[in-house]
Amino acid sequence: MKKRSKINEYIYTLAFTVVMTAICILGVSFAYQQSKAGIKLNSELFTKRAVLSAANIPAEGSPEEIAKTYAENITVSKHGDKEWYRTKTGDYVIPVTGTGLWGKIDAVIGFDKTFKTITGISFTANNETPGLGARITEKWFCEQFRDKKSPLSFVAEGTKSDKDNQFDAITGATITTSAVRDMVNKTAKEAPGMVWSGK
Amino acid sequence: MAQAKTKDIMLDGIFRNNPILIQVLGICSTLAVTNVLKNTVVMGVAMIFVCAFSNFFVSLLRKLIPSRIRMMMEILIAATGVILVDIVLKAHLPDVSRQLGPYVGLIITNCIVMGRCEAFALSNPPVASLIDGASNATGYALVLVVIAFIRELLGSGSVWGVKILGAWWDNWSIMVMAPGGFFVLAILLWVVKGLYSREAEK
Amino acid sequence: MSNEYMGYFAIFFSAIFTQNVLLTYYLGMCPFLGASREVKTAAGLGTAVTLVMTCTTVLNYIVYKYLIVPYDLEYLRFIVFIIVIAAFVQVAEIVIERLSEKLYNALGIFLPLITVNCAILGVSLFMVIREYTLGLSFFYGLGSGLGWMLAILAMAGIRQKMTKSRVPGPLAGTGIALIIAGIMAIAFMGFSGVIKG
């Protein structure tokens, strides 16, 4: 008799676990399905804003307005197996991946059509330390790249260098800053060649 | 009567028995985001939701859960709450969600969530548990916000991302880095415990 | 594959020293503060954490790569990871109990605590976000576990020595432990630059 109740207890425990897990997973899945479209839209919008910002095209306002600006200005062009973005005026926006302190840093870097001047940069993904390396996504950091010329080097944060081949580093995040510098310089060097090989 | 009790539970969680300052619980995951005030506030709100959510459901199921798998079930419920928060953040605050990265997930293993489930929800009715969870997490979040305020101000010269200390201010990088968190929390503990013991002497 | 050039050793080394989960991410603070009064307890807990962390990181990697990603279940990963960890801890407890009573007394008693150690879940989540390979995950898990153990052992050693020191009243206990942890974190930061990440 006692043995039987022990088996019952096991069955109850097992059944309870299964039912609870199923309920939780179903609930979560339902919530996810509900907001899936929204999440996808958000990430598309995020990419669009990043590309526009790298191309130095002002994009403010509602999601619809940004999508409209994007559609009017940006086309996707193939270069080898890579997808680049091109603006109406012929500037390039190139997706680049670099290695920071923690892992990869994704960015889009904009160049004018001669690849001499940088039109802008925005970071789409990074795993850097919040408050330190992750500050590369801050506006002042990205904005300072506009109209600069490769090869770039960096100077201490707060210098506000007006030389066109320097940018301000982030204090305490030298590895991240170096990674950004290398990403920009490498792209500026290699991209012109890729335009031709793509054709 | 019932009202007085509710008030008691709330005061207990937020002040008298503050989880960080008095019980020194749950500083694990969330301390890491306290170098930026905005992230801290979002984490705090997420924390309040998850804690209230899991306390409520654990209390609702307290008579059904077999004791052998009690901890597993508590974690499962907390994880469900966290995933809901994560989905909401992704859908409505994508920028913040991107910055918080893995930290949202770490709320699951925050000792306060489990601690309140074990200490309160298992022996109290659902609504009281909900209030208990929410107020404990509120007390917790308040302390974090204070820490974040100090760290962001000293470490970046700004509050909520807005520079308020002028160019004369040299940022204390150590505040943004990990040791700063330890020091600020230790000093805060010192001050609060000192005040408490002085009050007790009176 | 983005971490190819960092190599196994760099990951292993930085997980122990420069990017110690405990001292740079505050992961696993509760047991760190609670169980660091005695070196013996700290050693037992540290070993258990290292064992569980290494195994669960690898298990979670396999589950993530072959179950979660192919079926597009990314949003469920928190639940799945925590279930894997909880299940592993349960199984480990039973196995150790059968294997040796001595080992069980030294390690087993700490195992139930480990499921809720933030560091274990944290390492699995970081492993996913940083896109490590299987080999890197193993070294990252092992390194993080050893780093955690090193930190708690050092802490326990210092605290034992400090029992005779006079600490300002309100700062005694947790307060001073936090200050020690802060100083330890600064010391560990000194290792950065030894290996170029």
Side-chain angles (χ1 to χ4, degrees):
Chain A
M1 192 61 201
K2 212 175 174 194
K3 208 173 176 186
R4 180 104 181 261
S5 75
K6 205 172 175 190
I7 291 173
N8 271 341
E9 200 191 300
Y10 273 129
I11 293 173
Y12 177 71
T13 309
L14 196 69
F16 190 84
T17 316
V18 171
V19 170
M20 273 298 289
T21 315
I23 291 174
C24 287
I25 290 182
L26 276 178
V28 166
S29 304
F30 179 73
Y32 178 71
Q33 295 302 335
Q34 289 296 306
S35 49
K36 204 171 164 185
I39 294 173
K40 198 168 163 242
L41 211 66
N42 269 332
S43 82
E44 276 173 14
L45 186 69
F46 179 77
T47 318
K48 285 178 182 171
R49 272 215 314 252
V51 170
L52 285 172
S53 156
N56 205 3
I57 297 167
E60 298 293 328
S62 68
E64 291 78 22
E65 281 169 290
I66 292 171
K68 197 170 153 240
T69 322
Y70 182 88
E72 279 167 0
N73 284 291
I74 308 285
T75 51
V76 174
S77 69
K78 284 250 177 199
H79 295 266
D81 54 349
K82 302 257 171 26
E83 273 189 356
W84 290 2
Y85 304 93
R86 285 204 79 172
T87 66
K88 231 171 19 184
T89 51
D91 294 349
Y92 293 93
V93 176
I94 306 171
V96 185
T97 299
T99 310
L101 174 67
W102 285 123
K104 61 178 191 161
I105 300 175
D106 286 336
V108 283
I109 309 177
F111 292 96
D112 76 335
K113 51 182 169 249
T114 60
F115 288 102
K116 290 220 170 70
T117 316
I118 297 158
T119 55
I121 186 166
S122 38
F123 296 92
T124 44
N126 76 77
N127 302 314
E128 304 308 296
T129 326
L132 283 173
R135 288 176 59 210
I136 52 173
T137 53
E138 284 177 9
K139 208 172 169 193
W140 71 269
F141 186 79
C142 298
E143 286 296 320
Q144 60 173 345
F145 284 89
R146 299 210 192 283
D147 300 326
K148 296 269 160 101
K149 289 182 170 57
S150 167
L152 293 174
S153 56
F154 57 82
V155 290
E157 181 174 347
T159 314
K160 303 213 169 69
S161 172
D162 50 8
K163 291 197 182 135
D164 66 0
N165 59 356
Q166 285 184 340
F167 67 98
D168 285 15
I170 290 169
T171 311
T174 315
I175 296 179
T176 313
T177 315
S178 315
V180 171
R181 176 199 61 199
D182 295 345
M183 283 162 77
V184 175
N185 288 346
K186 189 167 170 248
T187 316
K189 208 167 132 194
E190 291 172 359
M194 287 177 65
V195 176
W196 296 109
S197 71
K199 280 179 183 172
Chain B
M1 185 64 201
Q3 241 177 359
K5 208 182 157 204
T6 308
K7 208 176 137 197
D8 249 20
I9 297 175
M10 284 170 74
L11 278 177
D12 245 26
I14 301 178
F15 299 108
R16 281 183 232 151
N17 211 2
N18 185 297
I20 293 192
L21 297 176
I22 309 302
Q23 307 171 43
V24 201
L25 263 185
I27 32 186
C28 328
S29 47
T30 6
L31 203 57
V33 296
T34 53
N35 50 9
V36 181
L37 185 57
K38 194 176 169 192
N39 293 353
T40 311
V41 171
V42 175
M43 272 298 264
V45 173
M47 189 62 210
I48 294 169
F49 171 76
V50 174
C51 207
F53 176 92
S54 48
N55 250 14
F56 179 76
F57 281 101
V58 167
S59 164
L60 206 63
L61 296 167
R62 69 184 187 278
K63 292 192 181 112
L64 294 172
I65 299 179
S67 62
R68 180 186 286 273
I69 53 163
R70 195 183 68 230
M71 296 248 272
M72 274 277 287
M73 286 302 117
E74 284 165 8
I75 293 181
L76 184 69
I77 291 168
T80 310
V82 168
I83 296 180
L84 291 179
V85 169
D86 190 47
I87 290 173
V88 170
L89 280 182
K90 278 208 175 101
H92 298 285
L93 291 168
D95 295 338
V96 177
S97 149
R98 210 166 278 121
Q99 280 190 17
L100 289 178
Y103 296 108
V104 177
L106 290 176
I107 295 179
I108 301 172
T109 50
N110 192 304
C111 323
I112 293 180
V113 177
M114 288 284 292
R116 289 329 289 173
C117 287
E118 287 278 307
F120 196 94
L122 282 176
S123 47
N124 285 287
V127 178
S129 302
L130 182 86
I131 297 167
D132 176 77
S135 44
N136 264 282
T138 310
Y140 172 79
L142 279 178
V143 175
L144 286 182
V145 166
V146 172
I147 296 176
F149 177 80
I150 299 171
R151 286 183 75 186
E152 197 183 329
L153 185 69
L154 298 180
S156 321
S158 57
V159 170
W160 202 267
V162 182
K163 277 250 183 268
I164 60 163
L165 294 175
W168 52 272
W169 176 255
D170 264 339
N171 290 342
W172 300 7
S173 294
I174 195 84
M175 276 298 161
V176 191
M177 292 186 237
F182 285 115
F183 293 139
V184 173
L185 180 59
I187 292 166
L188 207 64
L189 261 172
W190 190 359
V191 170
V192 171
K193 273 198 180 164
L195 289 177
Y196 270 50
S197 63
R198 194 166 296 171
E199 214 166 90
E201 269 169 32
K202 268 183 193 171
Chain C
M1 287 299 179
S2 61
N3 292 296
E4 250 174 7
Y5 80 93
M6 275 186 83
Y8 299 114
F9 182 71
I11 292 264
F12 182 63
F13 184 86
S14 68
I16 296 180
F17 294 106
T18 50
Q19 314 298 348
N20 189 301
V21 270
L22 182 73
L23 295 172
T24 52
Y25 289 102
Y26 314 100
L27 295 177
M29 280 297 287
C30 304
F32 177 70
L33 293 173
S36 63
R37 279 174 214 280
E38 267 184 67
V39 173
K40 207 179 150 203
T41 331
L45 186 62
T47 319
V49 165
T50 311
L51 175 80
V52 175
M53 200 180 272
T54 315
C55 299
T56 54
T57 313
V58 171
L59 278 176
N60 275 337
Y61 175 84
I62 295 168
V63 168
Y64 185 75
K65 179 91 187 282
Y66 297 104
L67 204 71
I68 297 184
V69 174
Y71 294 99
D72 200 17
L73 294 172
E74 289 257 341
Y75 62 97
L76 280 180
R77 68 173 186 267
F78 300 148
I79 285 196
V80 176
F81 284 177
I82 202 83
I83 289 176
V84 168
I85 293 168
F88 177 80
V89 169
Q90 292 269 327
V91 173
E93 202 182 341
I94 295 168
V95 169
I96 290 177
E97 199 178 357
R98 291 273 155 84
L99 224 54
S100 127
E101 200 183 331
K102 218 171 146 194
L103 193 66
Y104 182 75
N105 285 334
L107 281 186
I109 41 169
F110 298 112
L111 282 172
L113 281 173
I114 285 182
T115 315
V116 288
N117 185 328
C118 331
I120 309 275
L121 180 68
V123 166
S124 285
L125 291 176
F126 279 125
M127 173 266 295
V128 165
I129 286 188
R130 294 185 196 152
E131 300 177 18
Y132 287 151
T133 58
L134 183 61
L136 287 175
S137 301
F138 171 76
F139 280 100
Y140 180 60
L142 182 64
S144 300
L146 288 175
W148 199 88
M149 183 159 127
L150 184 68
I152 195 171
L153 272 178
M155 182 60 133
I158 297 173
R159 281 182 93 167
Q160 265 189 355
K161 287 261 178 224
M162 275 198 25
T163 44
K164 285 185 193 127
S165 313
R166 285 176 55 202
V167 176
L171 201 58
T174 320
I176 196 71
L178 284 169
I179 295 209
I180 298 172
I183 297 170
M184 267 163 64
I186 297 183
F188 273 57
M189 270 161 60
F191 286 106
S192 58
V194 174
I195 288 190
K196 277 265 177 273

